[in-house]
């Protein structure tokens, strides 16, 4: 039977730490009570990390910082060599780290992704951090589907290209998600990281840790609307076919200023492919 890490358990772990109990004794108490050792260790790590992050925020300090993907921008390059092509750098912002690329995908690759995804589309879901599952949410009105990582030659080629572009292992990426936005469809501003204070987050991050970066690839040109917006920094990226926007977030906190959304499509339709990058290997 699967053992569920409840909010009550996490609170108990925090209380033991506050009382000065050694980690070894807390772990032993959980094992004696019937908890699987791996589950107990995971519960302790995520509970205490979330507690420390909460204290830091309360004291005006940012929570835990993670290593993040990062394109090689040291010499302000016009192009980045990703092995099978050179991808043009259109613009870059340091805080938050946002880089817009041109020509990440060819027209043929854009069409092939749309054609492969179209028969598998369904109403897009969002991650339910309260439960660790997925749910329909009114803020997201697109249709979507996921390719498995390395599902076919096209997906593998794009994943390898992204890995080289942002210097992050292929295995640390979730599967490519293709999304379709009809006229009026949108995705209201949100964060891509998983809220560490939500009860479902520990089960979500067991598959590869936190999300630390996002690549949004544009597969067609909407006639009007559909840009990717970053409200905190007053930035909007136009959804031009073959281009992409990359952004990273070193901590699961609004201080990263990575609030972003998909503006409503006013005329035409929008197709995008999204690649989320995790701290560790995504399984």
């Amino acid at each position: 039977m699967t053992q569920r890490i409840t909010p009550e358990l996490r609170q108990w772990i925090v209380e033991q730490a506050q009382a000065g109990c050694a980690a070894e004794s807390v772990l032993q108490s959980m094992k004696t009570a019937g908890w699987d050792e791996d589950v107990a260790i995971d519960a302790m790590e995520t509970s205490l990390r979330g507690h420390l992050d909460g204290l830091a925020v309360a004291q005006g300090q940012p929570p835990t910082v993670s290593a993040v993907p990062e394109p090689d921008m040291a010499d302000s390059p016009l192009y980045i060599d990703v092995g099978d092509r050179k991808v043009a750098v259109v613009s870059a912002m340091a805080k938050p780290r946002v880089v817009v690329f041109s020509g990440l995908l060819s027209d043929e690759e854009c069409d092939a992704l749309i054609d492969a995804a179209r028969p598998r589309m369904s109403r897009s879901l969002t991650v339910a951090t309260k439960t660790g599952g997925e749910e329909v949410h009114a803020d997201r009105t697109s249709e979507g589907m996921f390719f498995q990582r390395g599902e076919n030659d096209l997906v593998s080629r794009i994943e390898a290209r992204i890995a080289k572009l942002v210097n992050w292992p292929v295995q640390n990426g979730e599967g490519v998600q293709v999304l379709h936005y009809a006229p009026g469809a949108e995705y209201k501003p949100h964060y891509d990281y998983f809220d560490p204070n939500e009860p479902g987050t520990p089960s979500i991050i067991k598959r590869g840790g936190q999300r630390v970066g996002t690549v949004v690839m544009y597969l067609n040109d909407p006639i009007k609307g559909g840009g990717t917006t970053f409200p905190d920094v007053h930035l909007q990226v136009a959804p031009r076919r073959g281009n992409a926007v990359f952004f990273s977030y070193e901590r699961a906190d609004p201080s990263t200023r990575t609030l972003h959304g998909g503006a409503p499509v006013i005329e035409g339709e929008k197709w995008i492919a999204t690649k989320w990058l995790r701290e560790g290997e995504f399984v």
Side-chain angles (χ1 to χ4, degrees), residues 37-50:
E37 183 172 354
D38 289 340
V39 176
I41 291 173
D42 180 65
M44 291 174 61
E45 289 180 345
T46 56
S47 299
L48 295 176
R49 182 170 59 188

Side-chain angles (χ1 to χ4, degrees), residues 26-280:
V26 176
L27 177 60
Q28 186 56 52
S29 295
M30 293 182 67
K31 290 169 62 178
T32 301
W35 286 89
D36 177 84
E37 183 172 354
D38 289 340
V39 176
I41 291 173
D42 180 65
M44 291 174 61
E45 289 180 345
T46 56
S47 299
L48 295 176
R49 182 170 59 188
H51 174 62
L52 292 174
D53 283 352
L55 289 177
V57 171
Q59 296 168 2
Q61 302 171 358
T64 307
V65 175
S66 301
V68 297
E70 173 64 13
D72 185 2
M73 303 291 292
D75 298 320
S76 300
L78 293 177
Y79 297 91
I80 295 179
D81 189 340
V82 293
D84 62 345
R85 65 174 52 218
K86 289 185 177 180
V87 177
V89 177
V90 176
S91 63
M93 177 180 290
K95 294 183 179 181
R97 168 52 94 198
V98 179
V99 186
V100 180
F101 297 104
S102 175
L104 178 61
L105 303 179
S106 68
D107 288 350
E108 293 75 18
E109 288 170 333
C110 291
D111 289 340
L113 278 175
I114 292 173
D115 289 344
R118 195 186 297 272
R120 297 162 59 177
M121 304 297 284
S122 61
R123 172 68 187 269
S124 296
L125 302 176
T126 59
V127 173
T129 51
K130 293 188 181 300
T131 64
E134 295 180 310
E135 62 184 0
V136 172
H137 199 290
D139 286 353
R140 193 180 199 188
T141 52
S142 61
E143 296 180 319
M145 58 77 65
F146 274 97
F147 289 106
Q148 295 295 316
R149 193 172 62 228
E151 180 173 323
N152 55 44
D153 289 343
L154 172 63
V155 170
S156 293
R157 183 167 68 248
I158 293 170
E159 289 173 335
R161 195 177 296 163
I162 291 172
K164 196 168 182 66
L165 180 68
V166 301
N167 296 299
W168 207 247
V170 169
Q171 63 267 26
N172 289 19
E174 299 180 26
V176 172
Q177 183 186 43
V178 174
L179 295 167
H180 174 240
Y181 292 80
E186 65 178 321
Y187 195 176
K188 293 182 179 179
H190 60 281
Y191 297 100
D192 280 352
Y193 59 74
F194 307 116
D195 187 342
N197 297 313
E198 291 288 357
T201 293
S203 64
I204 297 170
I205 64 177
K206 287 179 70 173
R207 298 188 64 190
Q210 266 287 2
R211 285 177 176 168
V212 289
T214 302
V215 181
V216 178
M217 298 162 276
Y218 305 105
L219 306 183
N220 78 315
D221 294 329
I223 297 173
K224 187 181 295 184
T228 302
T229 63
F230 294 83
D232 288 348
V233 291
H234 307 290
L235 173 67
Q236 179 163 295
V237 179
R240 185 177 297 278
R241 176 182 171 100
N243 286 10
V245 59
F246 160 79
F247 54 100
S248 62
Y249 24 100
E250 75 282 1
R251 55 177 64 91
D253 187 77
S255 62
T256 59
R257 299 197 296 171
T258 54
L259 184 70
H260 66 285
V265 175
I266 298 171
E267 186 177 354
E269 61 179 353
K270 181 177 77 170
W271 288 85
I272 63 171
T274 301
K275 182 75 170 176
W276 286 293
L277 307 172
R278 297 285 192 105
E279 290 177 296

